[in-house]
Amino acid sequence: MSLARKTLFVTGASRGIGLAIALAAARDGANVAIAAKTVKPDPRLPGTIFTAAEEVEKAGGKALPLACDIRDEQSVEKSVAETVARFGGIDILINNASAISLTGTLATQMKRYDLMHQINSRGTYMVSQKCIPHLLKAENPHVLNLSPPLDFDVKWFANHSAYTLAKFSMSVYAWAMAEEFKGRIAFNCLWPRTGIATAAIQNILGGEDGMKRCRKPEIMADAAYVILNKPAKTCTGNFFIDDEVLAAEGVTNFDKYAVSPGTPLMPDFFVPAEGARTVVGRT
């Protein structure tokens, strides 16, 4: 398996899972377009597009830092065009950028609702749309959305329906586009079984204690690496769970991914119960 000389367009790649995937590809000598909003350091959010580019280059890849707001069509079009001009095309799209607010109906401000749907739903759709013409020219094109299996158990909706719908929209688009572009571009989703140690956990969901109950972003990067190396014509329309992907590759010990080995792990949202009948598009 190798992503050498492949060009990845990664949204939200200045930190967290997006950066981890970028670095995994960079170690093969891949080209990485880092499409994200953070251009100046933020004390609550580590990393910028420029620090991420430095890490990609140090890992062995070629980086293109792009100040890109995926809510803005012109910004996306400009970033895609710059990527193609620099690297000659796009082989892989990682739809990673996302916004979260785990709030109920009365507590969800409409500006927060709009943000989640503009980034998660509309942004994912738009970035995919702008990259598809270039992906169609690639040898083994993949789109990977970091979004969950479509488990329509009401428990996932009851307490934060706005977020759930925005996140599920990403999965619906991958599911639909997998069929629309079947045999030409692979569209898949990848989701973690446990919490992943990112800024969202640190600042919103669990603080330091929550971080200790998470796995590192590298588990998602390693799973993504496996998926992106599969044949696009046959590996499409799937809703993958990170440790299932790696287990299928022979990984049996996941302790290296734990932030605090031996600490009970925090289960993530949206992971279906075994045998769940509400799941769409997952076997």
Side-chain angles (χ1 to χ4, degrees), residues 12-29:
S14 56
R15 64 183 64 88
I17 295 170
L19 177 57
I21 293 174
L23 292 175
R27 294 183 192 105
D28 280 354

Side-chain angles (χ1 to χ4, degrees), residues 77-142:
E77 289 177 341
K78 181 174 181 291
S79 295
V80 170
E82 289 184 15
T83 301
V84 174
R86 172 75 176 273
F87 298 124
I90 297 174
D91 299 282
I92 294 166
L93 166 61
I94 307 295
N95 283 311
N96 166 67
S98 188
I100 183 172
S101 180
L102 297 176
T103 47
T105 302
L106 298 179
T108 303
Q109 297 178 346
M110 289 313 300
K111 66 177 182 179
R112 195 66 190 177
Y113 178 100
D114 291 342
L115 180 68
M116 289 189 288
H117 285 264
Q118 288 167 358
I119 294 176
N120 303 6
S121 180
R122 183 177 182 274
T124 293
Y125 184 92
M126 182 162 60
V127 176
S128 299
Q129 182 190 78
K130 305 305 180 184
C131 287
I132 283 171
H134 305 288
L135 291 163
L136 286 168
K137 301 174 186 178
E139 183 178 347
N140 190 46
H142 277 264

